[in-house]
């Protein structure tokens, strides 16, 4: 396999412990890491325009191959010049492979070594998704970074099931690479392909997955899948601690489906560079705000006459212009502006959080900064097992 240019596009600028600050240079722009990628499932980050995302500091978006395949479909995307032109976003786009959604959303699915047969969650229609089709979908989307099609077992899966998922994901990766080269060439000029390592919470399977994945090619980046799927946070931390020494230092590391503030800070501490999650916008639509003092739901009666902004440390348009009292009024009145403003705030909060983390890394004091930040943030989080109304527990 010829070495793709993606490796040379990743420039490490500083480290602090295992935390890293870097720049990933792509044709459509630079991505400064650590970075958070808002999720644009159907070609839109729900309720927010591309212009608003740019103003919030977003550098890269995530698109969803499964959802875009079902609607509007690859024919529409191809005819209209790909997702960038279709949605009016000129920056980089990363697409997931569709595998996680097939396993989690499809009404019925049957997995075999060739692919997955599933029924659409929209209308029950029957579809067949293979590694080759996943690459075709992501090529039609025109993604700058494309993820390999993998099998993601649930957090409670047995060792036998996880072993099967590791083997199948490796076999599918070889097929993804072959198909990807027909679209992008062996040098990856039309988009970079990231493999995904699996293994759930089994450290030896994780390490084997990494070793065998790296033996298959000089990949431009590595996806870490199968975490944040129901396991305890301590398990996630343990897995990241175990695999970090085996991950290439000169490639970006992408932890899939993680986006709550404290989880992000802890993962950066363990050497992760890139993140995505629906958490900021999903929680925002339900009235839950991320703040430096923890999460809270703005619909609470205690905010009815509160003149303060959501977060006095935040520089977003929501915090600059509106009070907690007004935002509560919007939510209890069913006004759409409320969910838009909280979604915008939560996205900006995570973008700013990654910028603060990057600055601390470049100063060489990440662990101290992270400990101080987490101590303040966790004091404000509702006690374990107690959720405020409307708050989402997981991504």
């Amino acid at each position: 396999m010829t070495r793709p240019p993606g490796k040379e596009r990743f420039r490490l600028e500083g480290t602090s412990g295992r935390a890293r600050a870097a720049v990933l240079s792509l044709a459509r722009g630079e991505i400064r890491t650590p970075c958070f990628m808002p999720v644009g499932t159907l070609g839109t980050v729900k309720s927010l325009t591309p212009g608003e995302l740019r103003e919030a500091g977003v550098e890269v978006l995530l698109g969803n191959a499964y959802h875009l395949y079902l609607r509007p479909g690859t024919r529409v995307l191809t005819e209209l010049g790909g997702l960038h032109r279709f949605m009016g976003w000129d920056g980089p786009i990363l697409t997931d492979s569709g595998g996680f959604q097939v396993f989690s959303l499809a009404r019925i699915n049957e997995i075999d070594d060739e692919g997955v047969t599933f029924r659409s969650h929209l209308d029950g229609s029957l579809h067949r998704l293979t590694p080759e089709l996943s690459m075709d979908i992501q090529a039609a989307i025109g993604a700058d970074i494309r993820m390999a099609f993998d099998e993601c077992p649930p957090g409670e899966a047995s060792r036998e099931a996880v072993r099967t998922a590791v083997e199948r994901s490796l076999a599918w990766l070889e097929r993804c690479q072959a198909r990807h080269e027909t679209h992008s060439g062996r040098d990856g000029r039309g988009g970079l392909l990231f493999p995904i390592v699996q293994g759930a919470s089994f450290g030896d399977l994780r390490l084997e997955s990494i070793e065998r994945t790296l033996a298959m090619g000089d990949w431009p980046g590595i996806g870490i899948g199968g975490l944040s799927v129901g396991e305890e946070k301590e398990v996630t931390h343990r897995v990241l601690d175990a695999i970090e020494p085996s991950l290439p230092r000169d490639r970006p590391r992408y932890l899939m489906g993680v986006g709550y503030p404290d989880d992000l800070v802890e993962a950066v501490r363990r050497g992760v560079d890139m993140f995505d999650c629906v958490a900021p916008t999903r929680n925002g639509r339900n009235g839950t705000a991320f703040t430096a003092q923890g999460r809270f739901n703005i619909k609470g009666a205690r905010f009815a006459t509160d003149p303060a902004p959501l977060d006095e440390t935040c520089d977003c348009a929501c915090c600059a212009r509106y009070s907690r009292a007004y935002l509560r009024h919007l939510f209890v009145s069913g006004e759409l502006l409320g969910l838009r403003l909280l979604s915008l705030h939560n996205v900006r909060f995570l973008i700013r959080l990654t910028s603060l983390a990057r600055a601390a890394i470049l100063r060489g004091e990440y662990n101290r900064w992270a400990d101080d930040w987490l101590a303040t943030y966790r004091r404000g989080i509702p006690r374990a097992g107690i959720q405020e109304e409307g708050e989402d527990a997981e991504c």
Side-chain angles (χ1 to χ4, degrees), residues 129-168:
L129 186 57
T130 64
E132 291 79 10
L133 179 56
S134 175
M135 293 295 99
D136 294 344
I137 295 167
Q138 294 181 74
I141 290 170
D144 303 276
I145 300 174
R146 307 168 189 184
M147 303 306 298
F149 188 62
D150 66 324
E151 181 180 351
C152 180
E156 70 278 7
S158 67
R159 182 182 176 87
E160 180 182 3
V162 173
R163 159 61 72 185
T164 298
V166 168
E167 295 291 342
R168 188 168 281 149

Side-chain angles (χ1 to χ4, degrees), residues 211-383:
E211 180 181 3
R212 293 172 63 184
T213 296
L214 295 178
M216 293 173 64
D218 198 7
W219 308 102
I222 301 291
I224 304 168
L227 294 175
S228 193
V229 290
E231 77 281 359
E232 295 293 329
K233 292 185 179 184
E234 292 74 14
V235 174
T236 300
H237 298 165
R238 173 172 55 79
V239 170
L240 293 176
D241 284 334
I243 68 175
E244 192 276 335
S246 298
L247 296 172
R249 286 180 51 82
D250 57 359
R251 258 67 58 92
R253 304 159 177 178
Y254 164 33
L255 180 57
M256 308 177 73
V258 170
Y260 280 92
D262 51 337
D263 297 336
L264 190 152
V265 170
E266 291 286 13
V268 169
R269 192 199 298 270
R270 292 164 171 83
V272 177
D273 306 300
M274 303 170 66
F275 306 87
D276 81 279
C277 194
V278 299
T281 49
R282 178 177 289 173
N283 278 264
R285 294 194 307 276
N286 289 325
T288 296
F290 296 167
T291 79
Q293 290 75 42
R295 299 194 304 270
F296 61 80
N297 195 285
I298 197 64
K299 290 180 282 189
R302 61 193 171 114
F303 299 117
T305 59
D306 190 339
L310 280 176
D311 186 342
E312 292 182 350
T313 70
C314 182
D315 60 2
C316 77
C318 175
C319 290
R321 299 173 186 165
Y322 304 106
S323 68
R324 294 175 175 180
Y326 179 64
L327 294 167
R328 178 185 183 273
H329 161 72
L330 294 176
F331 270 91
V332 299
S333 301
E335 290 290 338
L336 295 178
L337 180 59
L339 63 87
R340 273 184 29 82
L341 288 174
L342 254 68
S343 295
L344 177 62
H345 163 78
N346 285 348
V347 167
R348 174 57 188 162
F349 182 87
L350 291 185
I351 297 300
R352 187 167 175 269
L353 178 60
T354 55
S355 295
L356 293 171
R358 177 182 172 83
I361 294 168
L362 293 175
R363 292 195 306 269
E365 55 183 37
Y366 184 78
N367 283 332
R368 184 175 66 180
W369 172 85
D371 288 343
D372 291 345
W373 192 93
L374 288 167
T376 300
Y377 177 79
R378 286 170 172 161
R379 280 198 296 268
I381 295 180
R383 297 189 306 279

Side-chain angles (χ1 to χ4, degrees), residues 30-188:
E30 290 188 337
I31 302 170
R32 292 168 295 178
T33 69
C35 80
F36 176 76
M37 300 178 285
V39 176
T41 302
L42 282 162
T44 173
V45 178
K46 292 189 184 302
S47 82
L48 302 178
T49 69
E52 289 170 327
L53 295 169
R54 275 295 190 193
E55 290 176 6
V58 174
E59 295 178 338
V60 52
L61 299 180
L62 184 139
N64 187 282
Y66 167 89
H67 288 282
L68 292 167
Y69 163 69
L70 293 177
R71 189 171 54 187
T74 55
R75 182 183 64 82
V76 171
L77 290 169
T78 301
E79 289 185 7
L80 295 179
L83 184 59
H84 296 84
R85 185 177 299 176
F86 189 53
M87 69 176 291
W89 171 260
D90 61 0
I93 292 176
L94 180 149
T95 44
D96 60 20
S97 67
F100 178 79
Q101 286 72 30
V102 166
F103 302 128
S104 62
L105 292 181
R107 295 178 181 175
I108 300 174
N109 65 57
E110 295 181 3
I111 308 169
D112 57 53
D113 289 341
E114 292 303 308
V116 184
T117 301
F118 69 96
R119 291 195 178 276
S120 164
H121 73 288
L122 297 174
D123 58 11
S125 56
L126 190 65
H127 299 268
R128 177 74 168 165
L129 186 57
T130 64
E132 291 79 10
L133 179 56
S134 175
M135 293 295 99
D136 294 344
I137 295 167
Q138 294 181 74
I141 290 170
D144 303 276
I145 300 174
R146 307 168 189 184
M147 303 306 298
F149 188 62
D150 66 324
E151 181 180 351
C152 180
E156 70 278 7
S158 67
R159 182 182 176 87
E160 180 182 3
V162 173
R163 159 61 72 185
T164 298
V166 168
E167 295 291 342
R168 188 168 281 149
S169 295
L170 288 165
W172 286 353
L173 175 58
E174 186 173 3
R175 292 165 57 188
C176 285
Q177 174 61 23
R179 189 56 153 247
H180 175 71
E181 289 179 357
T182 69
H183 293 295
S184 297
R186 294 178 69 84
D187 61 3

